[in-house]
Amino acid sequence: MLLTGVLKQGLMGRMRWPLVVAAFAGVMVASAAAMVGASGSTDHSLLEIEAVSSRLSATPGAVESVAKAAADRSVPTSDAQPLLETAARSSFDTDGMFAEISKAVAAAGDDAADPKAFAKAAAAWQEGQAKVARMYQAQDQAAAKEIETRLADPDKGPAIKALADLMAGPDLAVESAVTSQAMYLSLEALSSADAAKLTSVPQDKLQSEMKGVIASLRARSENEKPLPKDMARADEKARLTFVLATLPPEDLSVLTDFYESPGGKAKRDALVESYRRVSDQANGEMLGQYFQALADYLKTHPRPQQQ
């Protein structure tokens, strides 16, 4: 396929990755004002805990950080970045995506927890996120030691880590990584020796190849730029574990009961599956719009090798 050729450098190249430290100071805190639905519903609280709204809202803005990561690796981005930013803003309909995810979660079954108790646990979760963010911003060693001690407790630590594994966050972090990788490859494409071929390809053919590009990103386990999927999952699990370690025992118990219950698992799975579905659709639209815009750009700004 043409697009695979254009992206060959990104698909086949190899590089070494440094260890990545989770950015706790930039932890995502979902805005209660952005949530849709009844204030006390379990679904509302679940979407709040899993930071669905803020994850979606942050996605178009990821172009800037991805472009910086590309530039740090000597990938020229100044011409391509504005095209990708426009495509990302146009493709990621945050409100529509959130509504579709909410609908899927609601259809997964009846509430799997007492709404009031779950809402209380969600509030404690938000407080825990803020506490961890402040801890890292202030480099509070005493607070970090307190959390580490709790995680090292043989009676508490394993249960907290097991709960982090049950949450949707690690899977949602993978979705963010896939989108960032799609953005990175898009920026790399302008430097490809085959980039000029885009100018002669019909738009419908470009669009038809988008699903294949996204599938290739999901299947890759090497040379994942700017962040490997496994690393994104591990970073998110570490973040969740630290936040959970700040929660009172009663709130931890409520969350554990929910995520371990058949109903809770059904809602969690519905959340992940619907999030992946809307992300794939938005990623495909973003890539299609971007590569069409890039083809138009190359018609008036040919690469040096074309001259």
Side-chain angles (χ1 to χ4, degrees), residues 48-287:
E48 188 174 49
I49 289 168
E50 298 291 3
V52 172
S53 180
S54 58
R55 291 180 198 271
L56 293 172
S57 298
T59 302
V63 174
E64 183 176 356
S65 59
V66 171
K68 184 179 185 304
D72 288 345
R73 294 169 177 83
S74 301
V75 175
T77 63
S78 59
D79 293 334
Q81 184 176 346
L83 303 178
L84 185 57
E85 287 174 340
T86 298
R89 287 195 301 270
S90 174
S91 303
F92 284 85
D93 173 12
T94 301
D95 290 342
M97 294 168 76
F98 183 83
E100 188 169 338
I101 293 168
S102 300
K103 183 178 179 180
V105 171
D110 297 330
D111 282 350
D114 175 79
K116 290 185 178 180
F118 203 59
K120 178 179 177 296
W125 171 262
Q126 298 286 21
E127 292 175 7
Q129 288 199 118
K131 179 178 180 180
V132 170
R134 290 193 301 269
M135 178 185 73
Y136 274 82
Q137 288 170 341
Q139 295 294 296
D140 189 337
Q141 299 297 324
K145 182 65 175 178
E146 181 181 343
I147 290 177
E148 290 170 356
T149 298
R150 187 174 187 186
L151 291 174
D153 188 324
D155 294 327
K156 300 176 181 177
I160 291 173
K161 294 174 183 177
L163 176 54
D165 277 331
L166 294 174
M167 296 179 70
D171 283 336
L172 302 186
V174 168
E175 295 308 309
S176 297
V178 169
T179 296
S180 293
Q181 289 173 22
M183 292 175 175
Y184 194 102
L185 284 177
S186 298
L187 294 173
E188 278 190 319
L190 185 57
S191 303
S192 168
D194 293 326
K197 296 179 181 179
L198 290 169
T199 61
S200 60
V201 180
Q203 184 175 1
D204 58 347
K205 179 172 176 56
L206 281 176
Q207 188 65 54
S208 70
E209 294 188 15
M210 296 306 117
K211 288 184 178 180
V213 173
I214 296 170
S216 71
L217 289 173
R218 290 194 177 282
R220 288 168 65 186
S221 59
E222 293 183 297
N223 189 41
E224 299 178 78
K225 298 173 285 186
L227 179 67
K229 294 183 286 293
D230 285 349
M231 189 173 290
R233 182 186 297 278
D235 285 350
E236 178 70 357
K237 182 182 174 182
R239 184 184 77 82
L240 297 179
T241 301
F242 262 60
V243 175
L244 290 170
T246 69
L247 269 58
E250 61 271 20
D251 293 317
L252 273 176
S253 179
V254 169
L255 292 178
T256 300
D257 288 347
F258 171 82
Y259 281 101
E260 287 184 342
S261 71
K265 290 179 180 179
K267 287 186 176 293
R268 181 260 184 216
D269 290 346
L271 193 166
V272 172
E273 290 168 6
S274 59
Y275 195 106
R276 182 178 295 121
R277 183 174 63 252
V278 299
S279 291
D280 276 353
Q281 181 178 350
N283 284 333
E285 292 177 2
M286 176 185 71
L287 290 173

